Each structure stands twice: as structure tokens, then as C-alpha cells.
Amino acid sequence: MHSGHILLEEPIRMSSILESSKQSFFPAMTKIVGTLGSKSRSVEVISSCLKAGMSVARFDFSWGDIDYHQGTLENLKLAVKSTKKLCAVMLDTVGPELQVVNKSEHSISLEADAFVVLTPDQNQEASSQLLPINFGGLAKAVKPGDTIFIGRYLFTGSETTSVSLEVSEVKGDDVVCMIKNSATLSGSLFTLHMSQIRVDLPTLTDADKEVLSTWGVRNNIDFLSLSCTRHAEDVRHAREFLSKLGDLSQTQIFAKIENVEGLNNFDEILQESDGIILSRGNLGIDLPPEKVFLFQKAALYKCNMAGKAAVVTRVVDSMTDNLRPTRAEATDVANAVLDGSDAILLGAETLRGLYPVETISMVGKICAEAEKVYNQDLYFKKTVKFVGEPMTHLESIASSAVRAAVKVKASVIIVFTSSGRAARLIAKYKPSMPVLSVVIPRLKTNQLRWSFTGAFEARQSLIVRGLFPMLADPRHPAESTSATNESVLKVALDYGKVSGVIKSHDRVVICQKLGDASVIKIIELED
């Protein structure tokens, strides 16, 4: 046997670890969703977040009223104008979240081994002995021995701010619990989570519907993050509700999986939704911690094969108060990318953290490093095999475009698309180069007025790994001549050159429709 074969093939050269990371226009192919709020609502901070690499802004309605979020959004619009960076808007619903109601907002200290009563009577004052909650069915849902968690942000693992309770007895509608660890609850809102116990509340609550039909409609939201999705029916119900609102029929629904029930119905939920958010904070309570990674790998694989965006949450909690992530967190971000994640969602880190901009830029850097060593070749083969034969027309064009781009070492793939579907399919094969998606606006009419569609499609690609949208000028209808296509292509190439992804003598793969045919062209740029 040849001695060379005994050596393990080194997947990553050690020398590459010592190379300094290059800064490029696209900090990373993996996208970053940032939650905007108390520490990140000024135009200045939001502008810095956009420059650092945030491409989707999340508005979490578990706290803050409509006016508060509207103020933040107006600032986001100003920041988008001044930085000229597109940003999509995600509305995160409250859903069937159980909450402890602390009207006086005094902090409450709980001592280990003492007892505390959870009561549905919300007129009572919250104290160390009594916690009023917003759910009448708790006594029916639990039995002695069950575990209940309470905290402000569910469990970063800093157990001084969250508490674990064990149910000791049920008295009428009240539940008496023994406190397992000493902690201080502060603020007006703490979330309550019961491990693997079904809460009989609707996924889209009346409060959520109210927010969607006012704030959502007024702001043409791109994404709805549907908290606590437990069944495919939840997604269908939300979609029906959005289509009744007219303007939101194009809004994409991302199912947020946060408990075992959502896991058990994962395949059906994936089929119905436009994307998935893995809410690892809550899942980590519902599942034993040692199972969370398995779920992440399985779920991301399924999303990848279905060509639907997958978003991972709770990655760098410690950056809420620190300038650097822990080693474990940095590794975690990289592994999420290697597992096939499209986007990383930041919560407390950007919402109320001390370093929102640094967090975004740090996560971007880690993602970029992981993307360099992502095994695109293996992933491509797996995906083609999974899709099987015969492929649909569009799928075969998309996979061929990626294959061609990899073979000729193209620096970028440019795709012309109006619905965004072709671009998403190309991105599904995770090419190692950026995909510039030129969204050609379509003219449509509802008999009363003509309008251009395209802005939605462009913004919705901002959550897909490797996909970078440009909106073509609607004054050039795509259907007209090939001359128009040429001029739009020139704009796209110029954009690529300015942003530094295309240099002279580079090869570029172009995917476009000509009449009824789809064509893939490879061009080599002159000086």
C-alpha cells in the first residue's frame, strides 16, 4: 500500500488559518437578521448595523407597542436611504406565549427551596410569593413533578435572571411550585415555559392579528415570523389571514419552531411555509440540551433540500454584554454555516446589547471563514441526488448554472428573475460565488391602477444565503428587446465591479429567459 494514503487528507490547510481575512463588499454569503429595539433604534446605530452586514430587521412584538416599532421603522427607512443598502422587514408575532404579569415592574427575588404560587388572577400584585399569569388553563395542563421555567429572555444559561420551578400541588386554578434556584426577575415581562406541555392557545392570537392588520399592512412587511408554529394548519391559517389583508398576500411566512410539537410535525410545516426559524432558546428547554444539535442538523438538511431558507437563533448571547463571543459561540456560528444555515438571527445582542454593531460584524466574519471551507462539491452532489430525475425545467437550469459557474471558476452568477423563483433555486445549490439577482419589475393592474411588482421579491432574497438582489429600472420592461437585457446586464456588471466581486478577465455566468427558452451564458470580461 502506498504510504501516502495513510495520511488523512487535510480538509483545511493550517496555513490558511494564519492568513488574514480579506474584507470584501459582501462581508459574508450567510445573512444576518438583527432585532431592533432599545439600544438599536437611532438612525445612526441602524445605519452602522446595515453597513456591518445586517440585511433583515426584525421587529419583535412580544414587547413595545405599535407606535414604538413604527418610530424604529421610520428610522430604518432613513438609514436605508442614507447607506443605500436594502433591508427587509420581519414582524415577529407574540403567539401563545405565557407571561407573568408584573404591573408594578418591581423586581422580584425568589429564593431556592421556598414556594411560589402561579395564579391566573391578573388583578393580583406580583410578589415573591405570588406570580399572576396570562393563562387560565395552567392548573389543567400541569401535574405535580412537572418543570416550569420563568425568565425575562428565556435562558441564556445565566440562571440568576431565570428560575426553574417544580410543580408541587394544584389548588383550584392556582399552581403551587417549589423554587429550584435563587434568582431575581426584573422588568415588566417574564416569559413562562413548560417543558413538553401543550398550551391551548391559538398560534395567531387576536393581538397578533391586530398588529398585522395595522402595522403589518401599513409597512408592507416582507416576512412574518410565526412564533410557536406547532402544525401545518397554523401556517395555512396565517396565510389565509394575510391574503384577506390584500397587501400582505406576498408576505413570506417563516415558521418558528420552538417546541417538541413543532418538531414532530416538522415535515408538514416545512411544506407549507416559506422558511423556518429554529428557535433554539425555547427548543433548548423543551428538548434535552444534548439533543439540540441533532435537531439543528436534521432541520437544516431538510430546509436545504426543499430549497427553503433556514434561520438559526441564539448564537452569541454573551456578546449582549461583551465585545467578544466565547470560543463555544464562535464555533457554534461556524457550525451553523457548515450545517447549511441561510441566516443567523440576533436577538438580545442587537436589541438591548451594548455592542449591536460589533456583534453583527463579528458574526459576519465567522460566517465568511466557514463559507471558505464549506464543501460545496459534496453538497451539490447530495442535492442533485436528492432532487432525482426527471428534474423540472427550472431546477435543471438552476443546477446547470451553478455547475457551470463552479467549473469555469466564475466570480459571480447573474440571474434575471421576476418572481425570484429562479434566483432562489440557483441559491439552493449553494454556489461558492455570490448570486446577483436582477429582479425585473412586472407591470400588473387591478383594473384601477397599474403598479410594479418587484420590491418584495428583491427584499425577500435578503434572507437567502449567497443571494444579493438588485432591482432593475421598471422603465425598461423586461419583455421588450434583448437590447434592454443587455443594458440591464451592463448595470449588473458595473455593480459587481464597483462592489469588488468582479474584476477584469473574470468569468461570469448569466442565467436569463429569452422568450420561452432559458439560457445560460458564460462571458469573460475584457479589461
Side-chain angles (χ1 to χ4, degrees):
M1 185 180 165
H2 188 268
S3 63
H5 288 290
I6 301 168
L7 289 173
L8 272 176
E9 188 189 346
E10 193 181 6
I12 297 165
R13 296 195 331 281
M14 275 304 182
S15 60
S16 73
I17 297 168
L18 305 173
E19 284 165 16
S20 65
S21 314
K22 307 193 288 294
Q23 272 298 306
S24 70
F25 175 75
F26 300 118
M29 308 269 270
T30 306
K31 302 304 174 65
I32 297 174
V33 181
T35 306
L36 300 185
S38 49
K39 287 279 199 304
S40 52
R41 54 191 308 244
S42 67
V43 178
E44 189 186 5
V45 174
I46 298 175
S47 301
S48 303
C49 287
L50 291 170
K51 287 185 194 140
M54 171 178 87
S55 65
V56 180
R58 169 174 171 262
F59 293 81
D60 183 359
F61 276 82
S62 305
W63 60 277
D65 58 16
I66 284 182
D67 294 341
Y68 180 91
H69 289 297
Q70 191 62 41
T72 308
L73 183 60
E74 294 307 326
N75 287 347
L76 170 66
K77 288 179 188 162
L78 293 169
V80 164
K81 269 209 178 77
S82 73
T83 58
K84 295 193 172 46
K85 294 210 179 281
L86 280 179
C87 186
V89 170
M90 173 183 280
L91 184 160
D92 202 318
T93 61
V94 181
E97 185 169 271
L98 303 189
Q99 296 172 343
V100 174
V101 185
N102 179 16
K103 293 204 182 84
S104 66
E105 301 200 17
H106 292 313
S107 53
I108 298 165
S109 58
L110 300 171
E111 292 297 324
D113 301 330
F115 288 88
V116 65
V117 177
L118 303 179
T119 177
D121 179 359
Q122 295 185 38
N123 298 321
Q124 303 261 17
E125 270 297 313
S127 70
S128 303
Q129 290 78 44
L130 186 78
L131 297 173
I133 60 171
N134 66 345
F135 177 53
L138 186 67
K140 290 191 193 67
V142 297
K143 58 187 187 309
D146 282 344
T147 304
I148 295 178
F149 292 96
I150 295 178
R152 181 173 169 199
Y153 288 94
L154 276 177
F155 321 104
T156 50
S158 143
E159 292 309 322
T160 52
T161 56
S162 50
V163 68
S164 168
L165 309 173
E166 186 181 308
V167 176
S168 63
E169 60 170 324
V170 175
K171 282 187 174 168
D173 285 343
D174 293 353
V175 177
V176 183
C177 301
M178 185 177 144
I179 301 166
K180 306 291 278 183
N181 64 294
S182 301
T184 302
L185 303 177
S186 59
S188 59
L189 178 77
F190 324 115
T191 316
L192 184 131
H193 188 95
M194 302 174 296
S195 195
Q196 305 210 14
I197 292 168
R198 172 159 177 89
V199 179
D200 200 13
L201 288 172
T203 302
L204 202 57
T205 63
D206 291 344
D208 291 332
K209 289 180 172 173
E210 175 63 21
V211 164
L212 276 167
S213 45
T214 51
W215 194 87
V217 168
R218 178 177 4 159
N219 300 302
N220 253 348
I221 56 165
D222 302 297
F223 301 109
L224 168 66
S225 157
L226 190 60
S227 289
C228 203
T229 304
R230 296 166 283 188
H231 294 275
E233 192 46 51
D234 292 342
V235 184
R236 283 193 287 271
H237 175 99
R239 211 178 285 288
E240 245 160 72
F241 182 74
L242 289 181
S243 63
K244 283 201 198 85
L245 296 176
D247 288 356
L248 296 188
S249 54
Q250 280 185 282
T251 297
Q252 288 189 350
I253 298 176
F254 274 52
K256 201 169 171 193
I257 308 289
E258 358 202 357
N259 57 24
V260 167
E261 205 176 342
L263 277 194
N264 287 336
N265 301 312
F266 188 84
D267 293 353
E268 298 81 60
I269 291 171
L270 176 61
Q271 219 168 347
E272 285 293 327
S273 54
D274 298 297
I276 297 281
I277 296 174
L278 312 187
S279 180
R280 302 191 315 172
N282 288 359
L283 260 168
I285 299 163
D286 230 34
L287 283 174
E290 68 272 21
K291 298 279 193 191
V292 175
F293 85 97
L294 277 173
F295 157 65
Q296 173 172 316
K297 286 192 184 305
L300 290 179
Y301 174 75
K302 288 179 168 185
C303 292
N304 287 173
M305 293 303 123
K308 291 184 177 183
V311 183
V312 168
T313 67
R314 301 309 299 246
V315 285
V316 285
D317 290 327
S318 70
M319 284 195 78
T320 307
D321 310 304
N322 298 298
L323 257 176
R324 288 172 71 99
T326 65
R327 269 72 56 195
E329 288 171 333
T331 306
D332 188 26
V333 173
N335 278 326
V337 173
L338 297 176
D339 285 348
S341 178
D342 282 85
I344 301 285
L345 188 152
L346 302 172
E349 304 95 326
T350 53
L351 170 80
R352 62 184 174 89
L354 305 177
Y355 307 106
V357 181
E358 292 83 351
T359 304
I360 292 169
S361 115
M362 173 57 71
V363 168
K365 277 185 197 148
I366 301 169
C367 290
E369 287 296 325
E371 288 156 9
K372 281 187 208 163
V373 298
Y374 184 74
N375 192 334
Q376 197 274 336
D377 187 43
L378 182 69
Y379 173 78
F380 185 87
K381 289 188 177 112
K382 261 198 314 209
T383 313
V384 169
K385 192 174 166 191
F386 177 87
V387 171
E389 289 166 3
M391 274 188 177
T392 61
H393 175 91
L394 211 54
E395 187 105 36
S396 80
I397 291 287
S399 55
S400 307
V402 173
R403 195 162 175 271
V406 170
K407 293 274 182 237
V408 303
K409 292 194 166 41
S411 55
V412 64
I413 299 173
I414 295 177
V415 55
F416 291 85
T417 176
S418 54
S419 68
R421 243 183 85 217
R424 273 201 303 278
L425 266 181
I426 288 177
K428 169 181 171 178
Y429 287 89
K430 298 207 187 325
S432 37
M433 63 293 294
V435 180
L436 286 187
S437 146
V438 182
V439 180
I440 308 286
R442 281 181 304 188
L443 203 51
K444 67 167 195 203
T445 173
N446 59 1
Q447 267 53 63
L448 294 171
R449 60 191 179 124
W450 287 88
S451 62
F452 283 109
T453 65
F456 257 117
E457 290 77 1
R459 287 192 307 264
Q460 283 168 342
S461 53
L462 290 168
I463 205 164
V464 180
R465 175 150 147 195
L467 202 49
F468 298 91
M470 296 174 52
L471 203 50
D473 187 338
R475 284 179 310 224
H476 305 312
E479 284 73 48
S480 64
T481 59
S482 56
T484 325
N485 262 341
E486 286 308 309
S487 68
V488 176
L489 175 60
K490 188 180 174 318
V491 173
L493 289 171
D494 289 344
Y495 174 72
K497 285 174 191 156
V498 169
S499 56
V501 279
I502 308 177
K503 297 177 291 302
S504 52
H505 301 301
D506 274 358
R507 291 172 179 166
V508 173
V509 168
I510 296 150
C511 185
Q512 65 191 114
K513 268 186 109 109
L514 289 179
D516 292 337
S518 303
V519 291
I520 298 170
K521 289 196 297 199
I522 301 170
I523 60 173
E524 194 159 326
L525 298 182
E526 322 277 293
D527 284 337

